[in-house]
Amino acid sequence: MTKQEKIQIVEYLSSEFKNASALIVCDYKGLQVSHLEELRRTSKATNIKVQVIKNTLASIALKNAEQPDLALKDTNIFLWADDQIALSKVVCKFADTHSEHFVLKTGLFDAQVVDTQHIVSVSKLPSKEELIGMLLSVWTAPARYFVTGLDNLKKQKEENQ
């Protein structure tokens, strides 16, 4: 890779890391290419970006994006997105099915370093769509109960006649 290519990669990654609200770093040593492609397909469907990046380039990009240093070592794959919950769900689900070769290392949520326990706990939260569904269910409950009550009253009056 030429120096110019490295500069372009660092500039691209710097802007990506700066705009992402969540970044997760995982170890993928020994993971088969087919499994890696499966992760990429799953991630692409939920607007998560996945890339294997050299540690020095990633460290420079993080520094340029004004993010904390992650002390990167060994083989790393980087996953980032705007939705922390969706990112955590995808990564944790994949880590559960491929636990031998895919291990969570660390992450950045809103420019704060987080550990693996935090990432796992965020993955258990309901998604935005699930929360909207819950909220709509709560909002429509009084109307549902009112209609059910009226229907029961109507049936009761019909039985009495």
Side-chain angles (χ1 to χ4, degrees):
M1 193 180 309
T2 66
K3 187 173 182 175
Q4 187 60 32
E5 289 173 329
K6 290 178 183 178
I7 291 171
Q8 289 174 343
I9 290 172
V10 168
E11 287 174 359
Y12 167 74
L13 291 174
S14 296
S15 67
E16 288 289 319
F17 292 165
K18 191 169 201 152
N19 296 330
S21 69
L23 167 80
I24 297 177
V25 181
C26 302
D27 186 355
Y28 70 101
K29 188 179 272 184
L31 190 67
Q32 294 178 3
V33 174
S34 60
H35 295 146
L36 192 56
E37 289 303 315
E38 173 191 335
L39 174 64
R40 290 190 172 157
R41 274 192 305 277
T42 309
S43 299
K44 191 173 184 178
T46 53
N47 293 325
I48 297 170
K49 296 182 180 170
V50 180
Q51 192 167 348
V52 175
I53 308 166
K54 289 188 174 189
N55 292 337
T56 51
L57 297 179
S59 295
I60 294 168
L62 286 168
K63 185 178 178 184
N64 290 348
E66 298 169 1
Q67 300 286 352
D69 183 38
L70 295 177
L72 302 169
K73 294 179 183 174
D74 300 326
T75 56
N76 294 313
I77 188 165
F78 294 77
L79 300 99
W80 67 92
D82 291 329
D83 187 356
Q84 297 174 358
I85 296 172
L87 176 62
S88 298
K89 283 181 183 287
V90 167
V91 170
C92 288
K93 184 177 178 184
F94 190 81
D96 287 342
T97 57
H98 303 286
S99 58
E100 295 174 8
H101 303 292
F102 190 81
V103 180
L104 293 165
K105 283 186 168 181
T106 188
L108 290 172
F109 285 7
D110 294 324
Q112 299 292 319
V113 177
V114 295
D115 60 355
T116 57
Q117 291 173 339
H118 182 84
I119 296 168
V120 170
S121 62
V122 168
S123 74
K124 294 177 182 171
L125 294 173
S127 69
K128 183 179 178 181
E129 291 78 20
E130 292 169 334
L131 287 173
I132 290 171
M134 289 177 191
L135 184 61
L136 288 175
S137 176
V138 168
W139 280 351
T140 59
R144 265 196 325 263
Y145 294 136
F146 181 71
V147 169
T148 304
L150 285 177
D151 188 45
N152 289 339
L153 184 62
K154 176 186 159 199
K155 288 178 184 176
Q156 186 181 26
K157 287 198 176 207
E158 286 174 355
E159 288 175 4
N160 292 338
Q161 289 181 4

